Coordinates of all heavy atoms in Angstrom, one line a residue:
M82 N 34.4 -18.4 12.3 CA 34.7 -19.5 13.2 C 33.6 -20.5 13.2 O 32.4 -20.1 13.5 CB 34.9 -19.0 14.6 CG 35.2 -20.1 15.7 SD 36.8 -20.8 15.8 CE 37.7 -19.5 16.7
E83 N 33.9 -21.7 12.8 CA 32.9 -22.7 12.7 C 33.2 -23.9 13.8 O 34.3 -24.2 14.0 CB 32.7 -23.3 11.3 CG 32.2 -22.3 10.3 CD 31.6 -23.0 9.1 OE1 31.2 -24.2 9.1 OE2 31.6 -22.4 8.0
G84 N 32.1 -24.5 14.2 CA 32.3 -25.6 15.1 C 31.5 -26.8 14.5 O 30.4 -26.7 13.9
L85 N 32.1 -28.0 14.9 CA 31.5 -29.2 14.4 C 31.6 -30.3 15.5 O 32.7 -30.5 16.1 CB 32.2 -29.8 13.1 CG 31.7 -31.2 12.7 CD1 30.3 -31.2 12.1 CD2 32.7 -31.7 11.5
M86 N 30.5 -31.0 15.9 CA 30.5 -32.1 16.7 C 29.7 -33.2 16.1 O 28.6 -33.0 15.7 CB 29.8 -31.7 18.1 CG 29.8 -32.8 19.1 SD 29.2 -32.3 20.7 CE 29.0 -33.9 21.5
V87 N 30.3 -34.4 16.0 CA 29.6 -35.5 15.4 C 30.0 -36.8 16.4 O 31.1 -37.0 16.8 CB 30.3 -35.8 14.1 CG1 29.7 -37.1 13.5 CG2 30.2 -34.7 13.1
D88 N 29.0 -37.4 16.7 CA 29.1 -38.7 17.6 C 27.8 -39.4 17.4 O 26.8 -38.9 16.8 CB 29.3 -38.2 19.1 CG 29.9 -39.3 19.8 OD1 30.1 -40.4 19.3 OD2 30.5 -39.0 21.0
E89 N 27.7 -40.5 18.2 CA 26.5 -41.2 18.2 C 25.5 -40.6 19.2 O 25.9 -40.2 20.3 CB 26.7 -42.7 18.6 CG 27.6 -43.5 17.6 CD 27.8 -44.9 18.1 OE1 27.2 -45.4 19.0 OE2 28.7 -45.5 17.4
G90 N 24.2 -40.4 18.8 CA 23.3 -39.8 19.8 C 23.4 -38.4 19.9 O 22.7 -37.8 20.9
T91 N 24.0 -37.6 19.1 CA 24.1 -36.1 19.3 C 22.7 -35.5 18.9 O 22.1 -35.9 17.8 CB 25.2 -35.5 18.3 OG1 26.5 -36.2 18.7 CG2 25.3 -34.0 18.5
T92 N 22.3 -34.6 19.6 CA 20.9 -34.0 19.5 C 21.0 -32.5 19.5 O 21.9 -31.9 19.7 CB 20.0 -34.4 20.6 OG1 20.4 -33.8 21.8 CG2 20.0 -36.0 20.7
M93 N 19.9 -31.9 19.0 CA 19.7 -30.5 19.1 C 19.8 -29.9 20.5 O 20.2 -28.8 20.7 CB 18.4 -30.1 18.4 CG 18.1 -28.7 18.4 SD 19.0 -27.8 17.1 CE 18.1 -28.2 15.6
A94 N 19.4 -30.7 21.5 CA 19.4 -30.3 22.9 C 20.9 -30.1 23.2 O 21.3 -29.1 24.0 CB 18.9 -31.3 23.8
H95 N 21.8 -30.8 22.7 CA 23.3 -30.7 23.0 C 23.8 -29.4 22.4 O 24.6 -28.6 23.0 CB 24.0 -31.9 22.4 CG 23.8 -33.1 23.1 ND1 23.6 -34.3 22.3 CD2 23.5 -33.5 24.4 CE1 23.4 -35.4 23.2 NE2 23.4 -34.8 24.4
L96 N 23.3 -29.1 21.2 CA 23.6 -27.9 20.5 C 23.2 -26.6 21.3 O 24.0 -25.7 21.5 CB 23.0 -27.9 19.1 CG 23.2 -26.5 18.3 CD1 24.7 -26.1 18.1 CD2 22.4 -26.6 17.0
R97 N 22.0 -26.7 21.7 CA 21.4 -25.5 22.5 C 22.1 -25.4 23.7 O 22.4 -24.2 24.2 CB 19.9 -25.7 22.6 CG 19.4 -24.5 23.4 CD 17.8 -24.4 23.3 NE 17.3 -23.2 23.7 CZ 16.0 -22.8 23.5 NH1 15.2 -23.5 22.9 NH2 15.7 -21.6 24.1
G98 N 22.3 -26.4 24.5 CA 23.1 -26.2 25.8 C 24.5 -25.7 25.6 O 24.9 -24.9 26.3
L99 N 25.2 -26.2 24.5 CA 26.6 -25.6 24.3 C 26.5 -24.2 23.9 O 27.3 -23.4 24.5 CB 27.1 -26.5 23.1 CG 28.5 -25.9 22.7 CD1 29.6 -26.1 23.7 CD2 28.9 -26.6 21.3
L100 N 25.6 -23.8 23.0 CA 25.6 -22.4 22.7 C 25.1 -21.4 23.8 O 25.6 -20.3 23.8 CB 24.6 -22.2 21.5 CG 25.1 -22.9 20.1 CD1 24.2 -22.7 18.9 CD2 26.5 -22.6 19.7
E101 N 24.2 -21.9 24.5 CA 23.9 -21.0 25.7 C 25.0 -20.8 26.7 O 25.1 -19.7 27.2 CB 22.6 -21.6 26.5 CG 21.4 -21.5 25.6 CD 20.1 -22.1 26.3 OE1 20.3 -22.8 27.3 OE2 18.9 -21.8 25.9
A102 N 25.8 -21.9 26.9 CA 26.9 -21.7 27.8 C 28.0 -20.8 27.2 O 28.6 -20.1 27.9 CB 27.4 -23.1 28.2
F103 N 28.2 -21.0 25.9 CA 29.1 -20.2 25.1 C 28.7 -18.7 25.2 O 29.6 -17.9 25.6 CB 29.2 -20.7 23.7 CG 29.8 -19.8 22.8 CD1 31.3 -19.5 22.9 CD2 29.1 -19.0 21.9 CE1 31.9 -18.6 22.0 CE2 29.8 -18.0 21.0 CZ 31.1 -17.9 21.1
A104 N 27.5 -18.4 24.9 CA 27.0 -17.0 24.9 C 27.1 -16.4 26.3 O 27.6 -15.2 26.5 CB 25.6 -16.9 24.4
G105 N 26.9 -17.2 27.3 CA 27.0 -16.7 28.7 C 28.4 -16.4 29.1 O 28.7 -15.4 29.7
A106 N 29.4 -17.2 28.6 CA 30.8 -17.1 28.9 C 31.3 -15.9 28.1 O 32.2 -15.1 28.6 CB 31.6 -18.3 28.6
L107 N 30.9 -15.6 26.9 CA 31.4 -14.6 26.1 C 30.8 -13.2 26.3 O 31.5 -12.1 26.4 CB 31.1 -14.9 24.6 CG 31.9 -14.1 23.6 CD1 33.4 -14.2 23.8 CD2 31.5 -14.4 22.2
F108 N 29.4 -13.1 26.5 CA 28.7 -11.9 26.8 C 28.2 -11.7 28.1 O 27.8 -10.5 28.5 CB 27.6 -11.7 25.7 CG 27.9 -11.9 24.4 CD1 27.5 -12.9 23.5 CD2 28.7 -10.9 23.7 CE1 28.0 -13.1 22.2 CE2 29.1 -11.0 22.4 CZ 28.7 -12.1 21.6
G109 N 28.2 -12.6 29.0 CA 27.7 -12.5 30.4 C 26.5 -13.4 30.6 O 25.6 -13.6 29.7
A110 N 26.5 -14.0 31.8 CA 25.5 -15.0 32.1 C 24.1 -14.4 32.2 O 23.1 -15.1 32.2 CB 25.9 -15.7 33.4
D111 N 24.0 -13.0 32.3 CA 22.7 -12.5 32.5 C 22.0 -12.2 31.1 O 20.9 -11.8 31.1 CB 22.8 -11.2 33.3 CG 23.7 -10.2 32.5 OD1 24.7 -10.6 31.8 OD2 23.5 -8.9 32.5
K112 N 22.7 -12.5 30.0 CA 22.1 -12.2 28.7 C 21.1 -13.4 28.3 O 21.5 -14.5 28.3 CB 23.2 -12.0 27.7 CG 24.2 -10.8 27.9 CD 23.3 -9.6 27.9 CE 24.2 -8.3 28.1 NZ 23.4 -7.1 28.1
R113 N 19.9 -13.0 27.9 CA 19.0 -14.0 27.4 C 19.4 -14.4 26.0 O 20.0 -13.6 25.2 CB 17.6 -13.4 27.4 CG 17.0 -13.2 28.7 CD 15.6 -12.5 28.6 NE 15.6 -11.3 27.8 CZ 14.6 -10.8 27.2 NH1 13.5 -11.5 27.2 NH2 14.6 -9.8 26.5
T114 N 19.0 -15.6 25.7 CA 19.3 -16.2 24.3 C 18.0 -16.8 23.8 O 17.1 -17.1 24.5 CB 20.4 -17.3 24.4 OG1 20.0 -18.4 25.2 CG2 21.7 -16.6 24.9
R115 N 18.0 -17.1 22.5 CA 16.9 -17.7 21.8 C 17.3 -18.5 20.6 O 18.3 -18.0 19.8 CB 15.8 -16.8 21.5 CG 16.0 -15.8 20.4 CD 14.8 -14.9 20.1 NE 15.0 -14.1 18.9 CZ 14.1 -13.2 18.4 NH1 12.9 -13.1 19.0 NH2 14.3 -12.6 17.4
F116 N 16.6 -19.5 20.2 CA 16.7 -20.2 19.0 C 15.4 -19.7 18.1 O 14.4 -19.5 18.6 CB 16.6 -21.8 19.1 CG 17.9 -22.4 19.3 CD1 19.0 -21.7 19.8 CD2 17.9 -23.8 19.0 CE1 20.2 -22.4 19.9 CE2 19.2 -24.4 19.1 CZ 20.3 -23.7 19.6
R117 N 15.6 -19.6 16.9 CA 14.6 -19.4 15.9 C 14.9 -20.1 14.6 O 16.1 -20.4 14.3 CB 14.3 -17.9 15.7 CG 15.5 -17.1 15.2 CD 15.2 -15.5 15.1 NE 16.3 -14.8 14.6 CZ 16.7 -14.6 13.4 NH1 16.0 -15.3 12.4 NH2 17.8 -14.0 13.1
P118 N 13.9 -20.4 13.7 CA 14.2 -21.1 12.6 C 15.0 -20.5 11.6 O 15.0 -19.2 11.5 CB 12.8 -21.4 12.0 CG 11.8 -21.2 13.1 CD 12.5 -20.3 14.1
G119 N 15.9 -21.1 10.9 CA 16.7 -20.7 9.9 C 16.9 -21.7 8.7 O 16.2 -22.7 8.7
Y120 N 17.7 -21.3 7.8 CA 18.0 -22.2 6.7 C 19.4 -22.2 6.2 O 20.0 -21.1 6.0 CB 17.1 -21.9 5.4 CG 17.6 -22.7 4.2 CD1 17.3 -24.0 4.0 CD2 18.4 -21.9 3.2 CE1 17.8 -24.7 3.0 CE2 18.8 -22.6 2.1 CZ 18.5 -24.1 2.0 OH 19.0 -24.7 0.9
Y121 N 20.0 -23.3 6.1 CA 21.4 -23.5 5.6 C 21.3 -24.8 4.9 O 20.8 -25.8 5.4 CB 22.5 -23.5 6.7 CG 22.5 -22.3 7.5 CD1 21.8 -22.3 8.8 CD2 22.9 -21.1 7.2 CE1 21.8 -21.2 9.6 CE2 22.9 -19.9 7.9 CZ 22.2 -20.0 9.1 OH 22.1 -18.9 10.0
P122 N 21.9 -24.9 3.7 CA 21.8 -26.2 2.9 C 22.5 -27.2 3.5 O 22.2 -28.4 3.2 CB 22.4 -25.8 1.6 CG 23.3 -24.6 1.8 CD 22.6 -23.8 2.9
F123 N 23.5 -27.0 4.4 CA 24.4 -28.2 5.0 C 23.9 -28.6 6.4 O 24.4 -29.4 7.0 CB 25.8 -27.8 5.0 CG 26.1 -26.4 5.2 CD1 26.0 -25.8 6.5 CD2 26.4 -25.5 4.2 CE1 26.3 -24.5 6.7 CE2 26.6 -24.1 4.3 CZ 26.6 -23.6 5.7
T124 N 22.8 -28.0 6.8 CA 22.2 -28.5 8.1 C 20.7 -28.6 8.0 O 20.0 -27.9 7.2 CB 22.4 -27.4 9.3 OG1 22.0 -26.1 8.9 CG2 23.9 -27.4 9.5
E125 N 20.2 -29.5 8.8 CA 18.7 -29.8 8.8 C 18.3 -30.5 10.1 O 18.7 -31.7 10.2 CB 18.2 -30.7 7.5 CG 16.8 -30.9 7.4 CD 15.8 -29.8 7.3 OE1 16.3 -28.7 6.7 OE2 14.8 -29.7 8.0
P126 N 17.5 -29.9 10.9 CA 17.0 -28.5 10.8 C 18.1 -27.4 11.1 O 19.0 -27.8 11.6 CB 15.9 -28.6 11.9 CG 16.4 -29.5 12.9 CD 17.0 -30.5 12.2
S127 N 17.8 -26.3 10.6 CA 18.7 -25.2 10.8 C 18.0 -24.0 11.7 O 16.9 -23.9 11.8 CB 19.0 -24.5 9.4 OG 19.5 -25.5 8.6

């Protein structure tokens, strides 16, 4: 399952906020989350 959002002014902060809300709804609001560096050729930064 992939997701894509494209618009003017879209930022990494929007991505993080969405994924944290998603993880809380799917696994529970009490679960901690984190970002860490990764690599994918079609995203930068990953």
Side-chain angles (χ1 to χ4, degrees):
M82 173 80 79
E83 294 201 21
L85 173 69
M86 178 176 174
V87 180
D88 204 349
E89 297 181 12
T91 304
T92 68
M93 181 73 80
H95 296 138
L96 170 62
R97 181 163 190 168
L99 173 69
L100 295 183
E101 287 181 346
F103 165 73
L107 191 64
F108 300 114
D111 61 327
K112 296 298 181 183
R113 295 179 299 157
T114 62
R115 72 175 184 180
F116 267 24
R117 57 183 176 83
Y120 168 73
Y121 305 101
F123 31 81
T124 55
E125 179 60 38
S127 302

